[in-house]
Amino acid sequence: MSEILPVGIDLGTTNSVIARIAGESVPEVIPNAEGESITPSVVWIGERGVVVGTDAKEQMSEGNPDTAAFFKRHMGNLSLPFFLGAKQYSAVDLSAFVLSKLKRDAEERLGRPIAHAVITVPAYFEDPQRNATIAAGTKAGLDVLEIISEPTAAAFAYGLHQTGREENILVYDLGGGTFDVSIVRLTPQEFTVLATKGDHGLGGKDWDDILSDYVLDRFRDEFGVDPLSHGLPRGELLMLAETAKKTLSGVMSTVVNFHHSGHRLRLELTREDFESRTSHLMEATRSLCNEVLKDAGLNWQLLTGVLLVGGSTRMPMVTDYVRQMSGGAPLTGIHPDHAVAVGAAIRAARLLDERTPHKPHFRLPGPKKIQDVVAHPLGMISETDDGSRYTNSIIINKYLGVPCSNTRPFQLYTSPGNGNEMEVYLTQGESTDPVDCTVIARWHAAGIEHDPSGLQVIDVEYSYTGNMTVDATARLRSTGRTIPLTKESDLGDLSWIRQPPRRKGKRQHITAYLAVDLSGSMAGAGVAAAQRAAREFVQQSDLSKCSIGIIEFADRVKVTCPACQDAGQLESAIAPLEPHVLCSRVGVGNAATPFATAHQILRDVTGARFIIVLTDGHWSCCPQAIQESVACRADGIQTIAVGTEQSNADFLKQISSSEAGSFYAKQHEVVGIFSSIARELTETAGGTKRALRLK
Ligand code: AMP
């Protein structure tokens, strides 16, 4: 028998499950002390101390105020304490009680200590909730090997029975409190999550709420009495509703008998009626399924099957929906209540075996590798280019494989002494408005030394770890010194995000347009170099203080990305610049010049403004280009020209602000030139501190 005992834990909103690998390869759920394979995630603090599970759930339904459930919905929320008995508890404390019970009962049953665990979370959990889950595990005395997403864990469990062919499956996970949907590609070697969506405010409880409200309304209508204001515990009504809901999963109609204040309500309920009353909830899961399929570039017909996970998928309306959309029955072979914990146990066993590859303890079939993806883009709060409001500037795009990282420069204006501080507010969310995103943490660095130029550039590396939590490290560009960063989870009052930023006098926003020549002669290596150069330029620019736009030109001019501070949006404009893509969007000749278009856009923009042209040849409209570039400069817009191949050095000089702003280069040098332009713009803050010195 194996000496070590890694476990997988499904820490659910309504129920939790713990599993292990028995012997070398048999996944098995470990029952709790009461002999149940599922432990209700309910805590009761009574005279017996902390009680978790069925007894606590009963106390709750009787209206005992010293009980708590559904606290998983509040993980990572520090401002929402639970009061049980005379004490205050956080969602982390309560989750730690659940984990301790699972650990203790499993240890007693197996007669061995448990140290290592993989714990699952909804795929849509953000950084604070994932960190809170790790904290709960640590508090329960567990070494948390990894946090994995519930649908991914379910796919692991399914993978044990994998046929060996490539499969694209949709994991539909509807539990008691959360809904997650992921598209996973399974090959004999690897699990790849292609896309994921979710709503952690949608679950079986919402179906119960609708049913209990219906019972309550009918009771009020019939007897003119409101049971809730006459001492009825809400929990009792919810239990009644949940029982009726579960009954309707097996039969077409049921009778709800509800007694209160001397009155008796007899309510006949059909499945059809229940389904129509809750159809908007099904609709919410439907639209998330469609969105995730679209994100993965698939449709129902291209799926190999649908995996149903979570207790609420027992509702016939879910299976009917899956049949209707996919044209077949859901995939079988996994237990909807156990699959997530079993998948986590498989992952835990594999992770421990990876630590001792020469002496594996387990022999598990199915794919070994796992590739999960970023579910929420990572961004930072910065000011818009006109300084009128705050914006969410994306640093790491959605659906990048984890772990991943991105380094971004940060400009800090310094004063003499070492008292300079840097603050970065990181967000998770897709909107450009930070109000619609979750501000996950404030990263703070103190003691930054003054630079004689008055500006320090700090290169900050932001990363998503394998647990999909966020990390950041910082380095001072001038000295290479690593700057210690502290992560403050308590963000305090964030109402300032809604206010206009307070302008700091010396701060000057930069707006730069990259104008890329896409005439026929650029096809192939020229376009490839332009794509790399544009990416490098974005990478090296501080998007919290700089907006970048992209213009393509040949016979026509097209603004493919208006100036923005969003790395994701810019990447979407840069990605199509593939060498094999014909530049037909703007023609193949060289009749157009980008200056007038850029001039028009930049005319009313405040701050430092730049047009940076990349070209490989001589244009048929040179005199017009020179004239237009002169007009730009007359309006204070600086122009920079980078030319390769057939470019004419004199022409480049004539369309540039200064000789130092024109470059004749070999194709392979272009990336380096764009990198230095971006760095120079960052380090001179748009030329406000000193004249732009481009070498
Ligand atoms: P989970 O979080 O996966 O344990 O799922 C718990 C949810 O599944 C709760 O909302 C239960 O009411 C629901 N559930 C369990 N069994 C059934 C059933 N037979 N029919 C409908 N819902 C069910």
Side-chain angles (χ1 to χ4, degrees):
M1 199 193 337
S2 162
E3 289 301 306
I4 54 166
L5 185 52
V7 294
I9 299 179
D10 169 6
L11 181 62
T13 314
T14 33
N15 299 304
S16 295
V17 180
I18 181 167
R20 65 153 179 160
I21 305 300
E24 287 183 332
S25 61
V26 185
E28 159 186 289
V29 166
I30 314 168
N32 63 18
E34 293 77 40
E36 307 152 330
S37 59
I38 288 172
T39 302
S41 308
V42 185
V43 175
W44 166 35
I45 313 265
E47 22 344 309
R48 279 157 57 196
V50 178
V51 178
V52 173
T54 305
D55 283 357
K57 190 174 174 180
E58 266 161 30
Q59 286 295 317
M60 170 160 257
S61 72
E62 286 165 19
N64 188 328
D66 297 332
T67 55
F70 292 100
F71 35 84
K72 181 171 161 180
R73 281 186 171 177
H74 306 289
M75 284 296 257
N77 182 349
L78 300 173
S79 59
L80 207 130
F82 293 80
F83 294 92
L84 280 75
K87 281 181 76 179
Q88 179 178 322
Y89 299 90
S90 66
V92 169
D93 298 329
L94 299 173
S95 302
F97 289 147
V98 175
L99 291 170
S100 299
K101 149 110 180 148
L102 296 173
K103 175 178 186 288
R104 196 176 51 243
D105 287 5
E107 284 174 337
E108 265 170 34
R109 186 165 285 270
L110 302 173
R112 282 190 287 158
I114 290 171
H116 309 288
V118 166
I119 304 178
T120 61
V121 293
Y124 223 56
F125 255 21
E126 294 168 329
D127 173 85
Q129 298 145 331
R130 286 172 186 264
N131 277 312
T133 306
I134 296 172
T138 311
K139 209 162 183 173
L142 290 165
D143 169 6
V144 182
L145 293 172
E146 199 172 74
I147 295 287
I148 62 170
S149 299
E150 288 160 11
T152 314
F156 258 126
Y158 173 73
L160 279 190
H161 316 284
Q162 221 237 348
T163 52
R165 65 197 165 101
E166 186 175 309
E167 297 184 51
N168 286 326
I169 59 170
L170 182 146
V171 186
Y172 182 107
D173 181 358
L174 186 61
T178 54
F179 174 63
D180 261 337
V181 55
S182 297
I183 310 284
V184 184
R185 177 165 295 161
L186 266 89
T187 66
Q189 295 77 34
E190 196 175 24
F191 292 90
T192 312
V193 181
L194 301 180
T196 185
K197 288 257 171 198
D199 181 345
H200 52 251
L202 179 66
K205 182 178 182 297
D206 299 287
W207 272 260
D208 302 343
D209 283 341
I210 287 175
L211 218 45
S212 67
D213 285 348
Y214 177 52
V215 174
L216 211 54
D217 285 347
R218 290 296 304 268
F219 193 92
R220 284 193 200 111
D221 289 349
E222 207 154 308
F223 307 109
V225 180
D226 180 3
L228 289 182
S229 47
H230 284 79
L232 173 77
R234 177 98 196 165
E236 193 178 308
L237 198 59
L238 281 173
M239 286 277 271
L240 192 83
E242 190 187 8
T243 308
K245 173 186 78 173
K246 287 184 179 171
T247 308
L248 285 175
S249 291
V251 294
M252 297 306 286
S253 71
T254 184
V255 174
V256 176
N257 282 303
F258 177 49
H259 306 258
H260 197 265
S261 316
H263 302 292
R264 175 168 172 264
L265 176 77
R266 186 180 182 281
L267 190 61
E268 208 169 303
L269 205 65
T270 63
R271 187 189 286 172
E272 195 185 346
D273 188 22
F274 173 57
E275 291 185 352
S276 89
R277 283 176 192 284
T278 55
S279 61
H280 61 288
L281 299 175
M282 269 311 290
E283 189 49 47
T285 76
R286 262 192 210 119
S287 56
L288 283 168
C289 287
N290 290 338
E291 283 175 33
V292 84
L293 277 167
K294 192 165 163 236
D295 284 1
L298 294 174
N299 58 40
W300 286 97
Q301 286 69 45
L302 292 173
L303 289 175
T304 329
V306 178
L307 206 55
L308 295 182
V309 189
S312 299
T313 59
R314 290 202 178 87
M315 292 190 289
M317 62 181 104
V318 173
T319 24
D320 288 350
Y321 163 60
V322 169
R323 269 180 212 280
Q324 184 199 336
M325 299 309 293
S326 63
L331 296 168
T332 51
I334 64 159
H335 189 296
D337 295 329
H338 300 169
V340 171
V342 162
I346 296 168
R347 179 68 179 159
R350 289 225 163 95
L351 282 173
L352 275 194
D353 268 358
E354 274 174 23
R355 288 187 181 178
T356 53
H358 49 283
K359 193 173 159 258
H361 293 85
F362 302 98
R363 252 187 255 245
L364 290 158
K368 286 193 172 53
K369 276 179 68 192
I370 171 173
Q371 178 62 72
D372 216 329
V373 288
V374 169
H376 307 275
L378 180 70
M380 66 159 98
I381 299 182
S382 49
E383 292 177 21
T384 52
D385 48 4
D386 61 358
S388 62
R389 58 187 170 81
Y390 288 104
T391 183
N392 178 39
S393 160
I394 304 282
I395 306 166
I396 296 182
N397 237 350
K398 199 175 176 180
Y399 295 148
L400 225 63
V402 284
C404 54
S405 63
N406 196 359
T407 303
R408 303 223 63 91
F410 183 94
Q411 298 166 338
L412 180 75
Y413 297 97
T414 56
S415 317
N418 286 336
N420 299 290
E421 297 182 51
M422 176 187 89
E423 266 190 346
V424 185
Y425 284 83
L426 291 186
T427 61
Q428 283 183 321
E430 292 175 46
S431 170
T432 51
D433 187 346
V435 173
D436 298 330
C437 302
T438 307
V439 181
I440 54 168
R442 177 169 66 98
W443 293 83
H444 177 245
I448 301 169
E449 52 270 39
H450 176 57
D451 186 272
S453 71
L455 181 79
Q456 284 281 25
V457 176
I458 298 154
D459 287 308
V460 187
E461 184 178 20
Y462 304 91
S463 48
Y464 265 112
T465 68
N467 288 331
M468 241 184 289
T469 52
V470 175
D471 206 358
T473 53
R475 195 179 282 273
L476 212 56
R477 194 178 279 180
S478 55
T479 61
R481 180 173 80 84
T482 302
I483 304 174
L485 285 175
T486 357
K487 183 183 182 186
E488 312 279 353
S489 308
D490 191 357
L491 301 165
D493 178 13
L494 285 174
S495 58
W496 56 268
I497 296 177
R498 296 168 191 274
Q499 320 284 327
R502 264 184 292 145
R503 291 247 95 173
K504 298 169 196 87
K506 53 189 169 183
R507 158 121 169 47
Q508 161 122 286
H509 193 89
I510 300 170
T511 307
Y513 268 88
L514 300 188
V516 184
D517 178 353
L518 286 189
S519 57
S521 55
M522 284 284 283
V527 180
Q531 187 184 45
R532 287 198 305 275
R535 281 204 175 112
E536 182 67 16
F537 188 83
V538 172
Q539 180 75 35
Q540 294 295 338
S541 300
D542 178 358
L543 287 177
S544 71
K545 299 179 180 73
C546 170
S547 304
I548 299 173
I550 313 265
I551 292 178
E552 293 173 7
F553 69 97
D555 283 328
R556 292 179 297 281
V557 181
K558 186 170 164 55
V559 181
T560 47
C561 184
C564 72
Q565 293 164 276
D566 185 331
Q569 212 172 311
L570 286 161
E571 175 55 27
S572 307
I574 295 168
L577 296 178
E578 286 291 338
H580 59 275
V581 176
L582 270 182
C583 322
S584 54
R585 289 204 280 195
V586 281
V588 291
N590 47 22
T593 121
F595 289 112
T597 308
H599 190 178
Q600 176 80 20
I601 302 171
L602 288 170
R603 182 174 285 141
D604 300 322
V605 172
T606 51
R609 297 156 300 163
F610 295 86
I611 303 169
I612 305 154
V613 177
L614 173 63
T615 179
D616 73 335
H618 193 75
W619 311 345
S620 60
C621 53
C622 284
Q624 185 191 344
I626 294 165
Q627 218 175 24
E628 288 176 5
S629 78
V630 170
C632 288
R633 294 196 291 278
D635 259 351
I637 301 166
Q638 298 203 50
T639 55
I640 298 168
V642 183
T644 60
E645 309 291 317
Q646 307 301 316
S647 308
N648 175 312
D650 276 341
F651 171 61
L652 295 178
K653 273 181 211 158
Q654 284 172 292
I655 57 168
S656 302
S657 294
S658 66
E659 211 162 298
S662 77
F663 303 83
Y664 178 76
K666 302 255 165 39
Q667 224 160 46
H668 69 268
E669 293 165 343
V670 167
V671 175
I673 291 173
F674 272 78
S675 170
S676 8
I677 297 172
R679 286 167 84 98
E680 189 66 13
L681 289 184
T682 303
E683 286 166 26
T684 58
T688 47
K689 292 275 105 191
R690 59 174 196 249
L692 201 59
R693 286 178 322 204
L694 296 166
K695 300 165 280 280

